Amino acid sequence: MITRICDTPLDLLFHVEHVSGPRAGAVATFVGLVRDHDPSVAGEVVGLEYSAHPDAEAVLRRIADGVAGDDDVLGVAVSHRVGHLRVGEAAIVVAVAAAHRAEAFDACRRLVETVKSELPVWKRELLANGTHHWVGL
């Protein structure tokens, strides 16, 4: 299992390769990208700055352990980026392997949704007009 909070670009193929194996019939993935807009904020988003609580990696490990403990799950890899990200860069990458696609999709979605709701990582949206907006605070 891979769980990382890091300040370097994320690589989807690295995650897929880590969970792949002869027992895996499916690998479901998710890549969360920085987009140029936020429907709840007026203005163009030009970047994001993510910051993490010191315990964020331990929390990420606990979340991933919960999904990896499912009998149908064969492998889990999840990384979340911190620091400054430009539009188009990956903020989170998830790969989950299972024998069948339905189980892989379900576990991948559950992992992403749990990370989104429980991981102590905060996002500051940087706008083209020079202002910023904190998300999730």
Side-chain angles (χ1 to χ4, degrees), residues 22-43:
R23 295 181 56 218
V27 175
T29 63
F30 175 82
V31 178
L33 302 173
V34 177
R35 62 181 180 225
D36 66 359
H37 68 284
D38 178 342
S40 66
V41 176

Side-chain angles (χ1 to χ4, degrees), residues 57-126:
E57 199 153 332
V59 172
L60 188 60
R61 168 71 62 173
R62 178 187 52 77
I63 293 167
D65 281 343
V67 172
D70 290 357
D71 290 339
D72 296 326
V73 173
L74 301 173
V76 171
V78 55
S79 298
H80 199 295
R81 183 112 178 254
V82 293
H84 181 81
L85 283 74
R86 297 181 314 262
V87 170
E89 289 189 288
I92 182 173
V93 172
V94 175
V96 177
H100 303 284
R101 69 182 174 274
E103 291 83 1
F105 280 131
D106 290 346
C108 185
R109 181 181 182 100
R110 191 169 67 256
L111 180 55
V112 170
E113 297 299 336
T114 306
V115 167
K116 180 82 173 163
S117 67
E118 295 182 16
L119 188 66
V121 170
W122 301 279
K123 174 170 69 173
R124 186 169 76 132
E125 292 178 327
L126 308 172

